[in-house]
Amino acid sequence: MCRLLAYLGSPIQPDKLIYEPEHSLCIQSYRPQETTTTSVNADGVGIGWYHSQKQTEPFIYKNILPIWSDINLPHLSRYIESECFLAHIRSATPGQAASLSNCQPFSDRHFLFTHNGFIDNFRATLYQPIRNHIKDTVYQKIEGTTDSEHIFALFLNELAAVDGNWEQALQATLKTLFKLAKPYGVKVLANIVISDGNQLIASRCAIGSTPPSLYWLQNAPHFPNSVIIASEPLFPGNWNPFPESSMICVTEDLKINMHPIDL
């Protein structure tokens, strides 16, 4: 099971969360505490971030090495300073290649997307139904083979149908995903985080299984004026677990709105 991390707030260097905490994302790659299907997350690492002063599309760094073997990311994550970034360490679903195109985060225009979970037996079940559901313009953007990127494609497809309303688009994405999965009786785990550099939206839900762990923390003592979302708490603090079948929207002024996911 992958692990993810998202940050929105005052500018910081990403290494403050990726490497420095006592239960950092790096440590979670080989010593996760709340995974149920894997013991390591060694099939790649990625980070996407936004410029702290310019309105640009996000920047992305990916590597197929385990995060503990990546000698470049520690330097890069100390050099970058950003108000918003998403990071991800991958545990590949069996049968899915460890390749750069399959590493997260995925991006489109100003959006970054990460997913922790899986669609059980994806290639034999929802691979073709998802592709049949999305528009050709969205289909053409898929570069890899993962269930995660196909869920992102569903989101982009739904986003166009609701005039850019994030909350509605994610709700519609999950409803469509679960509707497609129902005839196959497959497990779908869908912890998702999406950002445009100014806001975050995140979900925790599943069908046929318990969703992976997901937490949020606002205004931690060492990270004031911020919201952190993580698969596991990075350090001691008042971490709030996401309820099952829920989503939160973090606005540009760091207000948090939590909603149940009606599936």
Side-chain angles (χ1 to χ4, degrees):
M1 191 70 66
C2 307
R3 303 280 82 180
L4 56 78
L5 164 67
Y7 175 88
L8 180 67
S10 299
I12 66 166
Q13 296 162 303
D15 76 315
K16 302 298 183 186
L17 297 177
I18 294 174
Y19 289 103
E20 290 190 7
E22 57 195 79
H23 193 55
S24 67
L25 193 67
C26 183
I27 291 174
Q28 291 178 37
S29 67
Y30 58 84
R31 197 185 300 152
Q33 296 178 345
E34 299 190 41
T35 57
T36 58
T37 59
T38 58
S39 57
V40 293
N41 299 280
D43 298 310
V45 58
I47 179 173
W49 70 97
Y50 295 85
H51 199 288
S52 61
Q53 297 176 345
K54 300 178 182 178
Q55 291 294 322
T56 64
E57 292 185 357
F59 305 93
I60 294 178
Y61 171 85
K62 298 180 181 181
N63 200 329
I64 60 173
L65 292 173
I67 188 173
W68 66 77
S69 296
D70 188 327
I71 64 173
N72 296 312
L73 185 56
H75 298 282
L76 179 65
S77 61
R78 285 191 295 110
Y79 174 77
I80 298 166
E81 189 170 80
S82 177
E83 296 176 348
C84 181
F85 63 88
L86 274 62
H88 185 274
I89 49 176
R90 185 177 181 227
S91 176
T93 302
Q96 295 288 344
S99 65
L100 288 176
S101 60
N102 284 344
C103 287
Q104 304 184 43
F106 302 114
S107 67
D108 181 73
R109 294 163 294 169
H110 53 291
F111 288 111
L112 287 172
F113 174 99
T114 57
H115 168 236
N116 175 26
F118 61 83
I119 299 172
D120 201 21
N121 202 18
F122 172 61
R123 295 287 291 188
T125 58
L126 298 195
Y127 176 79
Q128 193 62 48
I130 289 176
R131 291 194 168 215
N132 290 341
H133 183 83
I134 60 180
K135 297 178 181 178
D136 186 65
T137 52
V138 176
Y139 168 84
Q140 295 296 333
K141 295 179 180 182
I142 299 175
E143 297 180 352
T145 60
T146 63
D147 45 6
S148 300
E149 190 178 9
H150 283 71
I151 295 172
F152 183 38
L154 271 179
F155 171 78
L156 296 175
N157 195 77
E158 299 297 342
L159 189 68
V162 295
D163 297 324
N165 185 301
W166 285 36
E167 182 180 345
Q168 291 181 21
L170 184 54
Q171 288 266 13
T173 299
L174 295 168
K175 285 186 177 182
T176 299
L177 181 62
F178 292 173
K179 181 180 178 181
L180 293 175
K182 189 175 181 179
Y184 295 91
V186 294
K187 295 179 182 178
V188 177
L189 283 66
N191 283 13
I192 293 169
V193 181
I194 308 169
S195 181
D196 67 348
N198 298 310
Q199 303 174 75
L200 293 173
I201 190 167
S203 68
R204 179 181 182 238
C205 62
I207 57 171
S209 181
T210 301
S213 58
L214 193 64
Y215 298 84
W216 62 272
L217 177 64
Q218 187 171 31
N219 297 330
H222 296 293
F223 302 97
N225 303 312
S226 74
V227 174
I228 303 168
I229 298 173
S231 294
E232 299 181 15
L234 306 171
F235 45 79
N238 188 28
W239 292 87
N240 302 279
F242 277 61
E244 290 190 28
S245 297
S246 69
M247 61 189 298
I248 69 168
C249 303
V250 186
T251 63
E252 190 171 359
D253 58 0
L254 302 180
K255 292 183 179 178
I256 296 175
N257 300 305
M258 179 170 286
H259 309 280
I261 298 173
D262 180 12
L263 300 174

